[in-house]
Amino acid sequence: MHKAYRYSLGSKTYEFRNLADLMARATPARSGDRLAGVIARSAEERAVAQMALAEVPLKNFLNEVLIPYEQDEVTRLIIDEHDALAFAPISHFTVGDFRNWLLSDLASSDMLASIRNGITPEMAAAVSKIMRNQDLILVAQKCRVITAFRSTIGLPKRLATRLQPNHPTDDMNGIAASILDGLLYGSGDAVIGINPATDNVAQATRLMKLMDEVIRKYEIPTQSCVLTHVTNTLECIEQGAPVDLVFQSIGGTEATNSSFGFNLATLAEAEQAALSLQRGTVGNNVMYFETGQGSALSANAHHGLDQQTCETRAYAVARKFNPLLVNTVVGFIGPEYLFDGKEIIRAGLEDHFCAKLLGLPMGCDVCYTNHAEADQNDMDNLLTLLGAAGCSFVMGIPGSDDIMLNYQTTSFHDALYARRVLGLGPSPEFEAWLEKMQIMSNAAGACLNDALPPAFAASLKTLPAGNSASEVSNG
């Protein structure tokens, strides 16, 4: 039986039923935990829970699992694949000691890389709960996570972008126009990734072929992905479609992932199928995962845990399959889970920190829904903070308005802003391509050329009046 945790403050003693309860009460306030009934009942209780959590030995997280081992394959993954040798240098720490060490110069980039497989998601979540925003930024900035397929993601002083040319009817003309628009703003080095409006194998294949044609014609050092269900992508591979990356939304409990229609064996099969295609040129990371706080609760699959701890457990799933990209869709699920700009900003920094600490190439969809108490200024703040923290990639969408998914995110212009202000460049392969194509005169400085690049201008001139933008790939 799991023990209760107690902490005395003056004449009052606070009691927390178990480690899961302690972690939930220590979590900075957010609407999802209020909805779940696990939030601290007062600011004083939250502060006490954080002090109590700081005294918990890291070893406790190996001995007191939050979801029973026998009931949950994510728990089994976390425990079975824990690296005791990597854990040894920090095994004597409490959560508070761990925070202090992470902030010290002893926790160098090399040292953080050497211990990452010894850190469980619950350890990462726990330490994040007693850290300020600046702490999350400082430590994440020290974490180096580099992945590659046709471009290299995660190098220092780089900020990649996903070009997201979604269309409400999957119109090929509209998608092609958005791809062209994004490329002309230097977007797309992380991936050209489409959320299909019609989610089936035939439509996914059509979209894959369109992106593949554009990438091959212009020799773009990037990768494509249709964000369809993993089982659809497996069928696409079987039918010979040009699959670069396999996508799946993932959660931190077996029940969450079951509600999404997959398990760990499904992901293992998909990874091997994608690897067999050997389409990468500079690396072979073939998986792309999305996460988001609140997904487990929305599926009633959270087992009484707070939503940030559930989110961090999803990173164990991602880590198993060596992804090229992972991103938290931080404000997409709505104000029921993250109510306003303050909660979205905090969650974005938590997710990025925890994922980087665990060794994931974490990006962020800096976003909100139209019924949240947030606006584009909040997103500007989060984008800037994440850029300073070393975020691997962000989204690029025409005008920051996804007209298919109906939410607000970051635009091509926003990515240019972040690169210019923070001195960040695109991936090195993409940077060289932008200059070769005369899209940018100084890609490292995010300086666009005034004229339409000759290769694209030549293609556009071949189109008769009224022809579609999708024919740019055939020009």
Side-chain angles (χ1 to χ4, degrees), residues 71-90:
Q71 298 177 16
D72 187 88
E73 70 172 357
V74 178
T75 298
R76 293 194 290 275
L77 175 68
I78 291 167
I79 297 301
D80 293 350
E81 302 214 349
H82 180 254
D83 187 334
L85 189 61
F87 181 57
I90 59 171

Side-chain angles (χ1 to χ4, degrees), residues 305-319:
L305 305 185
D306 68 90
Q307 67 183 34
Q308 190 247 340
T309 298
C310 280
E311 165 73 7
T312 308
R313 283 171 53 93
Y315 305 157
V317 177
R319 184 163 66 173

Side-chain angles (χ1 to χ4, degrees), residues 81-84 86-87 112-120 319 357-358:
E81 302 214 349
H82 180 254
D83 187 334
F87 181 57
L112 289 170
S114 74
I115 67 165
R116 62 176 50 143
N117 290 330
I119 304 169
T120 68
R319 184 163 66 173
L357 191 62
L358 293 168

Side-chain angles (χ1 to χ4, degrees), residues 163 177-188 412 416 430 433-434 437-440 447-449 451-454 456-457 460:
L163 201 170
S178 292
I179 292 174
L180 176 61
D181 190 21
L183 292 173
L184 293 177
Y185 278 102
S187 183
F412 307 136
L416 278 178
F430 199 75
W433 179 82
L434 289 171
M437 294 292 290
Q438 300 180 43
I439 293 172
M440 289 187 172
C447 297
L448 295 170
N449 283 327
L452 187 66
F456 291 116
L460 290 170

Side-chain angles (χ1 to χ4, degrees), residues 265-427:
T266 316
L267 297 182
E269 180 186 358
E271 181 188 26
Q272 291 306 308
L275 286 170
S276 72
L277 301 178
Q278 298 182 329
R279 291 174 59 85
T281 55
V282 297
N284 61 356
N285 299 108
V286 296
M287 304 299 283
Y288 175 19
F289 297 121
E290 281 190 344
T291 67
Q293 289 192 29
S295 61
L297 176 58
S298 68
N300 195 27
H302 60 297
H303 293 267
L305 305 185
D306 68 90
Q307 67 183 34
Q308 190 247 340
T309 298
C310 280
E311 165 73 7
T312 308
R313 283 171 53 93
Y315 305 157
V317 177
R319 184 163 66 173
K320 171 68 175 174
F321 299 103
N322 306 305
L324 177 74
L325 306 167
V326 182
N327 72 263
T328 170
V329 192
V330 66
F332 180 74
I333 200 166
E336 299 83 1
Y337 304 92
L338 295 168
F339 180 72
D340 57 17
K342 181 178 180 179
E343 292 185 9
I344 292 170
I345 289 169
R346 173 69 192 188
L349 295 176
E350 289 169 346
D351 295 351
H352 179 253
F353 161 82
C354 289
K356 284 293 179 66
L357 191 62
L358 293 168
L360 291 178
M362 192 64 160
C364 184
D365 191 343
V366 178
C367 64
Y368 63 102
T369 56
N370 289 318
H371 61 308
E373 291 294 322
D375 59 26
Q376 214 63 39
N377 287 326
D378 295 311
M379 301 307 103
D380 289 347
N381 293 344
L382 179 54
L383 173 62
T384 305
L385 294 171
L386 285 169
C391 186
S392 295
F393 69 102
V394 295
M395 307 300 125
I397 294 175
S400 75
D401 184 6
D402 191 311
I403 59 174
M404 193 279 279
L405 293 174
N406 290 308
Y407 78 115
Q408 308 302 310
T409 180
T410 46
S411 68
F412 307 136
H413 304 76
D414 295 331
L416 278 178
Y417 146 78
R419 285 173 173 168
R420 287 174 176 172
V421 167
L422 299 171
L424 304 173
S427 69

Side-chain angles (χ1 to χ4, degrees), residues 21 35 93 120 138 151 156 159 186 213 225 265-266 284 326 329 397:
D21 185 43
L35 179 65
F93 286 162
T120 68
L138 176 63
S151 59
L159 176 64
E213 193 172 355
C225 185
T266 316
N284 61 356
V326 182
V329 192
I397 294 175

